[in-house]
Amino acid sequence: MSEAEIRAGVSYLSGELPGGRIGLGHAAVYGIDVDPAPSPELTLAAVDAALTAIGAMSGPGSQRQRRDTLSDVMRRATQDEQDFLRALLLRELRQGALENSMAEAIAEVIGADAGSVLRAVMLSGNLVDVAVSALTEGAEGLSRFHLTLFRPVRPMLARTAGSVTEALDRHRPAAIEVKLDGARVQVHKDGRRIAVYTRNLRDVTAYLPEVAEAARELTPASLIVHGEVIALTPDGRPEPFQVTMTRFGRKLDVAAMRESVPLTPFFFDCLHVDGTDLIDATGAERWETLRGIVASENLPRRIVTADTGVARTFYDDALASGHEGVMVKSLDAPYQAGRRGSGWLKVKPAHTLDLVVLAVEWGSGRRRGWLSNLHLGARDPESGGFVMVGKTFKGLTDEMLAWQTNRFLALETRRDGNVVYVRPEQVVEVALDGVQASSRYPGGMSLRFARVKGHRDDKGPDEADTIEMVKKMFEGRAP
């Protein structure tokens, strides 16, 4: 198998296109209705060549060229292959071939331990590169991947615990840190050279000069540290998440934005210092190293305790200070880059809202034929109507999808393309991480990471939460 075929195959099974999006939307992909091939004939190389060509098309007539090229691929694809390609092109592939599964498959092919493949992925930040090396060079190809300055690694992720007590029962004693609701960064330094990367491994050094300046002041000649940047009020309280992200994503007028929305970096982990890798060191060892090189004002508030009462008090203080909760960290765990292990646990209040469904969109991919994406509205007592504050399709099981499809078709009032508008009668309970400013919806706010907990048949629309409650969440005034 060629390198190009390996890259394409691993990318496709991971639900990604090697070159990113290629200019085909839902209407174009599902507008191609051709009979499937009776038997398999497509090859990875042929599909990759066609999709690469589509991505390179531009100028007058390019949309027709894309459709014609995709039509040719679809005519040569079986029904299952057509379904797979549509889901792949629209980033809706949910076939379960996650990173661990891919690593195990690669390990089996080359006769290596899956852990060694996962470690290579962890250090490289790129599953496809690891697959190419492993499948072309064997197990020896994995040795090329190690912690390297200016090659960012994926961030270690946290699981959720229901309470501080639950988290401390898993790790006792444990380090407990304030959970900052900002933007994740990792900083690499070698002499005067500094690079700042996002959690998605994108280089944003030019847009975050204060982070680069803070790193340049640290005494080690070389280092890799992980942290969070956040906008603070003059009294040191966190600004709403949206304020931080408005600045974090700004590429123009950086100097002016820095004056109006300065960002403060907080470093909470250290992976490398002056030639020594710490990725396999314990959490306690990495913190002691970090504490020796970073000023206290750039470290998150932290305690180490085995006492549940002390931990709860720290958690309550974090919330009172405007933060979203705490992180409970094992003192013994190594840094598990790219993994959502149990070494870190996040604890924060569960926010829920009872909202009314205003419309719903037909699903695609494996949800095709079901009404899926919900348009959610908060009650407006003044007008007697509802104000849309977001959409979500997350949290819905197949059983829930089937039920709500029948329910909303019975409530249908009109259609507009893929959207079915309904009488505002069905209440759903939605869990969310918070509320952020948004010009996309009439209320000027939108829900963060909303997911459906359940359909509330016991509540009528007059019992739904109000737009004022959503506003209180946005302003941090909700109980």
Side-chain angles (χ1 to χ4, degrees):
M1 184 178 289
S2 69
E3 177 178 330
E5 288 176 308
I6 294 172
R7 288 187 176 278
V10 173
S11 296
Y12 295 170
L13 288 173
S14 302
E16 301 288 341
L17 295 173
R21 293 185 180 274
I22 58 174
L24 291 171
H26 189 279
V29 171
Y30 278 98
I32 296 173
D33 187 13
V34 296
D35 291 335
S39 58
E41 62 174 274
L42 279 176
T43 64
L44 266 176
V47 174
D48 184 50
L51 298 186
T52 300
I54 290 172
M57 293 172 182
S58 62
S62 59
Q63 284 294 343
R64 174 177 288 278
Q65 286 181 301
R66 291 190 184 103
R67 286 195 298 269
D68 289 346
T69 303
L70 184 59
S71 293
D72 181 62
V73 172
M74 290 298 192
R75 286 190 188 93
R76 300 163 59 197
T78 64
Q79 184 63 64
D80 286 344
E81 289 170 342
Q82 284 188 359
D83 292 342
F84 181 92
L85 287 169
R86 288 190 180 100
L88 174 66
L89 292 170
L90 296 175
R91 303 176 71 89
E92 296 173 347
L93 197 61
R94 299 182 180 92
Q95 86 288 4
L98 302 177
E99 191 169 275
N100 283 8
S101 300
M102 292 298 298
E104 289 172 3
I106 293 167
E108 184 173 343
V109 170
I110 65 173
D113 177 68
S116 63
V117 179
L118 281 171
R119 181 177 177 82
V121 174
M122 172 184 77
L123 295 174
S124 71
N126 191 308
L127 173 64
V128 175
D129 286 347
V130 171
V132 169
S133 291
L135 296 177
T136 57
E137 303 174 39
E140 291 184 0
L142 300 176
S143 62
R144 71 170 65 250
F145 299 103
H146 48 84
L147 196 61
T148 303
L149 284 166
F150 305 107
R151 187 169 71 191
V153 299
R154 296 180 181 180
M156 182 171 174
L157 304 174
R159 292 184 179 177
T160 299
S163 67
V164 171
T165 302
E166 177 188 328
L168 206 56
D169 284 344
R170 299 192 204 177
H171 304 300
R172 191 186 303 270
I176 304 179
E177 296 174 8
V178 167
K179 187 177 188 309
L180 301 167
D181 192 17
R184 188 81 174 261
V185 293
Q186 65 176 285
V187 179
H188 292 226
K189 174 186 178 182
D190 187 14
R192 299 297 294 173
R193 182 185 174 190
I194 304 289
V196 183
Y197 303 97
T198 68
R199 66 182 299 142
N200 295 323
L201 314 186
R202 184 167 56 92
D203 190 329
V204 290
T205 312
Y207 315 134
L208 300 174
E210 55 264 71
V211 179
E213 289 167 10
R216 197 166 281 119
E217 292 300 316
L218 300 180
T219 54
S222 66
L223 58 79
I224 299 174
V225 290
H226 280 243
E228 197 100 353
V229 294
I230 188 170
L232 301 174
T233 63
D235 62 355
R237 292 176 66 86
E239 293 277 15
F241 174 78
Q242 186 68 15
V243 174
T244 294
M245 294 313 295
T246 298
R247 166 64 203 285
F248 190 79
R250 180 64 68 91
K251 297 181 180 181
L252 302 176
D253 302 321
V254 172
M257 283 297 294
R258 179 181 181 179
E259 288 295 318
S260 60
V261 187
L263 294 177
T264 300
F266 290 89
F267 301 114
F268 53 72
D269 218 317
C270 182
L271 303 190
H272 174 92
V273 173
D274 285 337
T276 301
D277 291 343
L278 301 173
I279 199 163
D280 293 320
T282 67
E285 292 167 338
R286 298 197 310 277
W287 175 260
E288 283 304 308
T289 300
L290 185 70
R291 199 161 63 95
I293 61 176
V294 175
S296 59
E297 58 265 28
N298 293 117
L299 293 171
R301 282 197 291 125
R302 168 181 167 126
I303 62 171
V304 175
T305 185
D307 188 295
T308 302
V310 172
R312 285 176 178 164
T313 298
F314 186 89
Y315 173 71
D316 291 340
D317 288 344
L319 296 180
S321 300
H323 297 290
E324 65 169 359
V326 296
M327 299 290 297
V328 179
K329 297 183 175 180
S330 165
L331 298 175
D332 301 321
Y335 193 92
Q336 297 173 295
R339 304 281 300 279
R340 196 177 295 280
S342 59
W344 289 1
L345 300 169
K346 56 185 175 183
V347 183
K348 56 184 182 179
H351 297 298
T352 63
L353 289 170
D354 290 331
L355 301 172
V356 176
V357 178
L358 308 179
V360 60
E361 299 173 15
W362 287 106
S364 56
R366 69 173 298 274
R367 291 189 175 189
R368 195 175 188 185
W370 283 334
L371 288 172
S372 177
N373 201 16
L374 304 175
H375 295 205
L376 302 167
R379 183 165 55 89
D380 182 1
E382 291 188 10
S383 69
F386 299 90
V387 181
M388 187 173 175
V389 291
K391 302 179 184 180
T392 189
F393 57 81
K394 298 184 182 298
L396 294 165
T397 64
D398 287 357
E399 182 179 357
M400 294 167 74
L401 286 165
W403 182 89
Q404 75 175 28
T405 298
N406 292 329
R407 168 66 168 159
F408 293 131
L409 287 177
L411 296 176
E412 179 180 354
T413 59
R414 64 184 177 90
R415 297 192 185 191
D416 183 5
N418 195 45
V419 180
V420 177
Y421 290 87
V422 299
R423 295 194 303 275
E425 297 178 10
Q426 180 63 50
V427 177
V428 294
E429 182 180 8
V430 177
L432 60 150
D433 285 4
V435 178
Q436 62 190 19
S438 174
S439 59
R440 184 175 182 181
Y441 300 116
M445 299 171 289
S446 66
L447 312 179
R448 286 184 60 205
F449 304 115
R451 56 270 185 201
V452 177
K453 292 190 68 178
H455 300 97
R456 294 297 301 266
D457 292 332
D458 58 327
K459 285 193 172 185
D462 58 334
E463 298 177 272
D465 285 313
T466 65
I467 190 66
E468 178 63 23
M469 174 56 75
V470 179
K471 185 177 180 181
K472 284 182 178 180
M473 278 193 175
F474 173 68
E475 295 174 346
R477 297 185 288 119

